[in-house]
Amino acid sequence: MNILSLFVLIPLLMMLGLWMARSVNQVRGVMVAGSSALLVLAVWLAVDYLRLRALIANLPFPQPEMLYTDSVVWYAPLHICYSVGVDGISVVMLLLSAIIVFTGTFASWKLKPLTKEYFLWYTLLSTGVFGFFISTDLFTMFMFYEVALIPMYLLIGVWGSGRKEYAAMKLTLMLMGGSAFLLIGILGIYYGAGAQTMNVLEIAGLHNIPEGMQRLFFPAVFLGFGVLGALFPFHTWSPDGHASAPTAVSMLHAGVLMKLGGYGCFRVAMYLMPEGLAQWGDFFLILTTVSVVYGAFSAVVQTDLKYINAYSSVSHCGLVLFALLMATRTSCTGAILQMLSHGLMTALFFALIGMIYGRTHTRDVRELNGLMKVMPFLAVGYVIAGLANLGLPGLSGFVAEMTVFVGSFEHPDVFHRACTVIATVSIVVTAVYILRVVGKILYGTCRNPGHLKLTDATWDERFAVICLIVCVAGLGLAPWWVSDTVSFSVEPIVSHFNLP
């Protein structure tokens, strides 16, 4: 069995263990054991991938784009296969997913009611995410994509808060609408390439999709994935979904699930249809520029902590698509770094917001004051997350955003540079809403007597927060191994782009 299949097999075994569990402690035990196994597997894969790449680099023959590849036929008439393989981009996405699933388990340690059922759906969602990142077959990728989306409806609708039914329905309908465009685009790619294979690498090697079909199906695929990446104006499901979801689901939703959109746009739409990119790139670049700036300004006027972070995610995920559409090696490397950085820091944000809400029972910034004195650990964690979000050097946000904007400004033409300058406005606006919220809820005098009796983080909450802070700081202080790994894998994809 291919080692990558363990990323799907372990969550399935976790679901079996959860089904057989008879107590909350057994459920917790299964989740800790399973998420720990996934994290260890992801770390081992990253280390072994770097080792293999170093060995292959010294050999005289051309280096393969992906390692650990394997393929098993599922449905021969349509050339559908269970095909897996990873490059540097997939490896860092798998590592991110494993970290979020692991820390999300501890962030949901005391979740009630229906604890077992909650973790069953949470694990199914994780299965779809891991399966998507290891897939190299278009149909298999689409199948895992759908597996990752479907559980969100129940996780928000049953265990969410606020207008949870509305948010769950809105999220599901909009993402299913995007999936319809995506399916049309995938079929267009398959038949346009001669109906010979569904394998992404083989289709890219053929490079035989007619230019007219690329112009027709590129927007369908990019839009299909872009809806999940919060592409303007199809982003409206995201803030409501974030605000209503339980803590760990918000972490996985913003930290990993939205990254499927950017990953799919890059791996499928842009890689397989470069002529379509040349035709439609500027149009979608305008939309992503609007996403970056609109999301930041929208966050300024929010008063709900989750909505502030949700609109911040619209801005930061817009920056991912923005950098990808710039289509330079540096900007695309920055986009992947931004996926990783945003995944870590937004998971940290949502974890802390959930912990604060669990104590104060409010997310309204107008009702929160002086929490630094009441719950210093959570308050310091929130400050660190905020500084990472606004791009403080030494934390992950700075590395990612600098790489994005430097790579984007490499374009010599006025249009691309103008878009880059406009997008940089989001840096200033982000600092405004982050510092305003930090000053409002953490400092000053606590005016609510009930809040003075609240307790600080428990051991499980501290463990989840510390893990995420270490990852955010680690990426900010030592980004070279991630940057080099990603840049090496970005190069063969960028070389396919036929841009002027």
Side-chain angles (χ1 to χ4, degrees), residues 89-154:
I89 303 170
S90 309
V91 167
V92 297
M93 289 295 103
L94 288 169
L95 187 59
L96 170 65
S97 304
I99 292 170
I100 303 303
V101 170
F102 178 75
T103 54
T105 297
F106 288 93
S108 302
W109 197 253
K110 297 176 181 176
L111 182 136
K112 291 180 181 178
L114 302 174
T115 307
K116 180 169 77 171
E117 290 78 4
Y118 167 84
F119 279 117
L120 273 168
W121 288 109
Y122 180 78
T123 307
L124 180 61
L125 172 59
S126 307
T127 306
V129 168
F130 284 115
F132 180 84
F133 286 131
I134 65 173
S135 297
T136 58
D137 180 271
L138 287 174
F139 184 84
T140 308
M141 188 180 290
F142 179 76
M143 182 195 71
F144 281 118
Y145 181 84
E146 294 302 307
V147 170
L149 297 184
I150 293 170
M152 289 296 297
Y153 177 79
L154 288 172

Side-chain angles (χ1 to χ4, degrees), residues 41-104:
L41 179 62
V43 172
W44 177 88
L45 179 66
V47 172
D48 197 57
Y49 177 85
L50 294 174
R51 180 187 65 83
L52 286 177
R53 277 297 183 202
L55 288 175
I56 296 173
N58 299 321
L59 298 178
F61 51 79
Q63 300 188 36
E65 288 188 37
M66 290 197 170
L67 302 180
Y68 309 97
T69 55
D70 195 11
S71 184
V72 178
V73 176
W74 270 14
Y75 186 66
L78 289 179
H79 303 92
I80 296 173
C81 300
Y82 173 72
S83 300
V84 296
V86 292
D87 60 2
I89 303 170
S90 309
V91 167
V92 297
M93 289 295 103
L94 288 169
L95 187 59
L96 170 65
S97 304
I99 292 170
I100 303 303
V101 170
F102 178 75
T103 54

